[in-house]
Amino acid sequence: MSTHVIKCEGVSFAYEKERVLEDIHLTVEEGEFLGIIGPNGSGKSTLIKLILHLIKPQTGKIEVFGKRIQNQKDRSLIGYVSQKANSFQRGFPATVKEVVASGLYGKLGLMRWMKKEDWKKVEEAIEWVGLSAFADRNIGNLSGGQQQRAFIARALVSEPKLLILDEPTVGIDVKSSKQFYDFLVELHQQTELTLVLVTHDMHAAMTIVDRIACLNKRLLYHGPTDHLMMKEKDILTQLFGNSLFSIQENQFCPS
Amino acid sequence: MFESLTEMFQYEFMQRALLAGVIVGGICPLIGVFLVVRRLSLLAESLAHVSLAGVATSLFVQKEWGWLMQVHPFYMGMAFSVFGSVFVEKMRKMYASFQELSLPILLSIGMGVSVVLISAAGGFNADVAGYLFGSLIAVKEEHVKTIAMVGVLVLLLVALFYKQLFALSFDEEHAILTGIPYRFINLLFIILVALVISSAIQIVGSLLVSSLITLPVAASLQIANSFRQTVIYAIIFAELAVLIGFFAAYSLNLASGGAIVLVSVAIWLLVVIWKKIGLQWTGKVARSE
């Protein structure tokens, strides 16, 4: 049996008195593409912080690659792309290459310089995300979707086994988002990476992930996407309200 | 013109001042790039005022209790500045959501202490003016040695921790997540800022020191593409400002700090205008094609 990439057992968390997550049981298998959806304030980002061990659960335990994260070394198998990556300071003077290279700095340690093979890794990561032509461009001159791809390259350059994306398309236009999701599918198909995508964009999540977790303080559903659509529609209604389906149906009405 | 140039170098005090100026012109923008991109430009100003408070304390102690202790204002300013920088780091944790609040607080304390102690020490004389606006004659040999040591230290540490400083400046959250020891690096950096500022006060004065830290960077940001370029251009602009400013100060008998700052402003303006013209030009080319 393969070890679970992520295993949450009875995890609860509260900020002061406000309960954010209650009794979460969740496992993610190797090579899986999991979507975590839920409305704003449902505890999605908190769950990610718990998995990354930036905060500690009040009860329950979390294991990543079969062990509890204790220190930085345990975290080095995880790549992370945040929604905030999209709102880095515009006009920051850095090229795509410089930004992607910074993904290696934590691993390199304090006293080591970038070697030739390190720069090669950087170039490979940039090529992988299809930005080779932009490697020496200022990151601020790229489109939102391209910037997010550069941040994926920054995460990939340290060769993680698990990539967590926290609302990566927030603030990116619809067309670029679509391209970005296509890119994630390609990434999933061509690598052995385990992917976790946190989003409130339900439609996007449904079409690209293998399994889905519906979160609203509690884990309401965890399983294949098609099963959710067929059998458990009321969970989605509970999460996003009735309007969700009326909008969806209206899309096909001739105007 | 060449006569006055050669004449200038005959004086030992000018050689000393020029050496100190060139070192300061290198390390100010080097530190300044990181300060500006981290939106901490005001930190330079605040620490300069704290440094001035150190100078004032030293002058006051010399006057009142001169028999007790003699610490040169330069070193007292440096000590205060370093102390102030550690205070800023502590305050940043105290007001986590209003991190920049520590800067005006520090600035006020520094200025308040300076004004009270300077007037108690006998008011504004030529010595004090030197610390406010920079003075070439006041640069002593031992100060040049200290400034050189600070220069070597800053160059060495920035070269050593360039990666970490860059990562923290670009995206602090991600840098912390990838295991960069941010507390250590941030503290080290802010102490370097304090040392650079108190060194630069000798040349440009405490009221003008932040301009040598920010203006060359402001000009560099206009035209640089990469971070590395930003650093290199900023240093070139600052060194130009120091050299031209020095010569102007000497030959026209101006205050050195003011002259250097005005040249920095001129360089910044030229770069802005040059960029504007360049943009229009490329726009025209694009339209005509």
Side-chain angles (χ1 to χ4, degrees):
Chain A
M1 204 191 91
S2 66
T3 52
H4 301 294
V5 173
I6 301 172
K7 190 174 176 190
C8 300
E9 278 182 346
V11 170
S12 297
F13 185 84
Y15 287 109
E16 295 185 4
K17 276 179 189 154
E18 203 197 331
R19 281 234 153 178
V20 187
L21 289 172
E22 261 173 63
D23 196 30
I24 306 289
H25 291 266
L26 180 74
T27 52
V28 181
E29 306 294 334
E30 220 172 313
E32 181 183 336
F33 189 172
L34 174 78
I36 300 179
I37 60 167
N40 286 333
S42 59
K44 301 185 300 277
S45 294
T46 306
L47 183 60
I48 296 307
K49 279 187 191 156
L50 284 164
I51 293 170
L52 290 167
H53 198 66
L54 294 174
I55 48 178
K56 283 178 195 160
Q58 269 97 14
T59 55
K61 67 170 186 176
I62 300 168
E63 287 181 354
V64 180
F65 293 104
K67 60 178 178 178
R68 283 187 183 202
I69 292 186
Q70 304 276 358
N71 51 35
Q72 195 53 44
K73 228 180 126 202
D74 299 336
R75 211 185 274 150
S76 64
L77 291 172
I78 311 175
Y80 176 64
V81 177
S82 72
Q83 66 187 85
K84 268 178 78 188
N86 192 36
S87 63
F88 74 98
Q89 284 181 42
R90 268 198 107 67
F92 192 102
T95 59
V96 172
K97 212 189 245 175
E98 285 177 316
V99 171
V100 173
S102 74
L104 278 176
Y105 295 167
K107 236 181 188 176
L108 274 178
L110 282 183
M111 301 293 182
R112 256 193 61 199
W113 299 76
M114 289 281 284
K115 287 192 186 133
K116 235 185 187 166
E117 63 250 38
D118 295 322
W119 283 114
K120 211 174 154 225
K121 275 187 202 166
V122 171
E123 269 163 32
E124 279 167 8
I126 294 173
E127 200 185 323
W128 216 105
V129 299
L131 290 178
S132 289
F134 301 90
D136 292 314
R137 291 262 192 103
N138 187 298
I139 183 113
N141 294 338
L142 267 55
S143 73
Q146 288 170 330
Q147 281 174 3
Q148 262 326 29
R149 274 200 264 168
F151 291 121
I152 290 203
R154 177 179 68 174
L156 292 181
V157 74
S158 62
E159 294 163 342
K161 292 222 157 74
L162 163 67
L163 183 64
I164 300 177
L165 303 117
D166 188 2
E167 304 261 15
T169 56
V170 165
I172 296 179
D173 63 89
V174 179
K175 200 181 149 210
S176 308
S177 294
K178 172 82 177 56
Q179 286 173 348
F180 185 74
Y181 286 129
D182 291 344
F183 167 74
L184 285 185
V185 172
E186 203 188 317
L187 186 69
H188 177 49
Q189 285 165 352
Q190 297 195 8
T191 63
E192 285 164 5
L193 265 176
T194 307
L195 288 171
V196 174
L197 170 69
V198 178
T199 180
H200 63 255
D201 185 351
M202 194 201 77
H203 297 293
M206 291 295 192
T207 50
I208 60 170
V209 301
D210 303 331
R211 291 209 294 167
I212 203 149
C214 300
L215 197 67
N216 199 359
K217 282 193 187 171
R218 292 174 160 278
L219 191 62
L220 301 176
Y221 176 85
H222 179 214
T225 23
D226 42 359
H227 181 75
L228 178 68
M229 280 311 273
M230 304 289 219
K231 303 272 167 73
E232 311 268 4
K233 260 193 170 176
D234 53 320
I235 289 179
L236 290 173
T237 318
Q238 205 181 323
L239 279 182
F240 296 100
N242 274 316
S243 56
L244 181 74
F245 295 103
S246 52
I247 291 168
Q248 205 180 2
E249 279 147 26
N250 279 342
Q251 276 181 347
F252 304 103
C253 292
S255 58
Chain B
M1 186 176 152
F2 282 108
E3 270 171 28
S4 52
L5 252 182
T6 46
E7 184 194 285
M8 183 173 121
F9 288 118
Q10 279 169 2
Y11 297 108
E12 213 173 295
F13 78 91
M14 274 312 287
Q15 292 172 5
R16 275 203 303 266
L18 193 66
L19 179 61
V22 167
I23 296 170
V24 165
I27 55 180
C28 274
L30 180 63
I31 286 289
V33 171
F34 294 104
L35 279 175
V36 170
V37 298
R38 297 186 85 168
R39 305 196 171 187
L40 286 172
S41 314
L42 196 61
L43 179 65
E45 192 72 46
S46 305
L47 287 179
H49 285 83
V50 173
S51 204
L52 184 66
V55 168
T57 307
S58 169
L59 292 176
F60 177 76
V61 168
Q62 265 174 26
K63 181 170 177 267
E64 295 293 317
W65 302 301
W67 48 272
L68 187 69
M69 55 185 271
Q70 288 274 3
V71 180
H72 192 278
F74 176 67
Y75 298 108
M76 193 70 114
M78 199 169 260
F80 267 58
S81 182
V82 169
F83 184 76
S85 68
V86 176
F87 174 78
V88 171
E89 264 310 285
K90 290 263 174 269
M91 285 279 287
R92 255 154 62 105
K93 276 168 221 155
M94 202 151 92
Y95 291 103
S97 35
F98 305 102
Q99 293 200 351
E100 74 280 10
L101 189 57
S102 58
L103 301 182
I105 290 177
L106 199 66
L107 198 147
S108 317
I109 298 173
M111 207 57 202
V113 171
S114 306
V115 171
V116 167
L117 289 184
I118 285 174
S119 51
F124 290 86
N125 53 34
D127 254 10
V128 175
Y131 288 109
L132 284 174
F133 309 115
S135 163
L136 300 182
I137 319 161
V139 183
K140 300 275 179 300
E141 200 180 332
E142 60 196 273
H143 302 156
V144 179
K145 275 184 191 152
T146 311
I147 292 175
M149 279 195 310
V150 169
V152 171
L153 188 74
V154 170
L155 276 180
L156 203 75
L157 290 176
V158 171
L160 212 55
F161 299 121
Y162 176 85
K163 303 189 303 281
Q164 285 77 16
L165 284 168
F166 171 82
L168 279 171
S169 308
F170 183 75
D171 185 345
E172 188 164 72
E173 189 192 31
H174 191 268
I176 293 169
L177 207 64
T178 54
I180 283 169
Y182 65 105
R183 280 180 213 280
F184 168 69
I185 298 285
N186 280 345
L187 184 66
L188 184 83
F189 174 68
I190 209 165
I191 290 174
L192 288 185
V193 174
L195 289 175
V196 168
I197 285 169
S198 43
S199 307
I201 280 179
Q202 284 284 314
I203 309 299
V204 282
S206 61
L207 292 183
L208 299 170
V209 64
S210 74
S211 54
L212 195 55
I213 284 180
T214 51
L215 276 171
V217 181
S220 175
L221 279 175
Q222 291 285 323
I223 50 170
N225 192 40
S226 67
F227 195 75
R228 193 172 282 264
Q229 271 178 7
T230 312
V231 174
I232 293 169
Y233 290 160
I235 291 176
I236 292 174
F237 291 150
E239 293 291 10
L240 271 176
V242 166
L243 293 176
I244 299 172
F246 256 59
F247 184 65
Y250 176 79
S251 49
L252 304 172
N253 202 16
L254 309 170
S256 62
I260 291 170
V261 170
L262 285 179
V263 177
S264 303
V265 173
I267 290 174
W268 173 73
L269 266 175
L270 282 174
V271 170
V272 170
I273 293 167
W274 187 69
K275 196 193 170 190
K276 271 246 158 84
I277 293 171
L279 279 180
Q280 274 174 359
W281 175 249
T282 48
K284 262 183 200 159
V285 172
R287 271 197 297 278
S288 65
E289 271 170 0

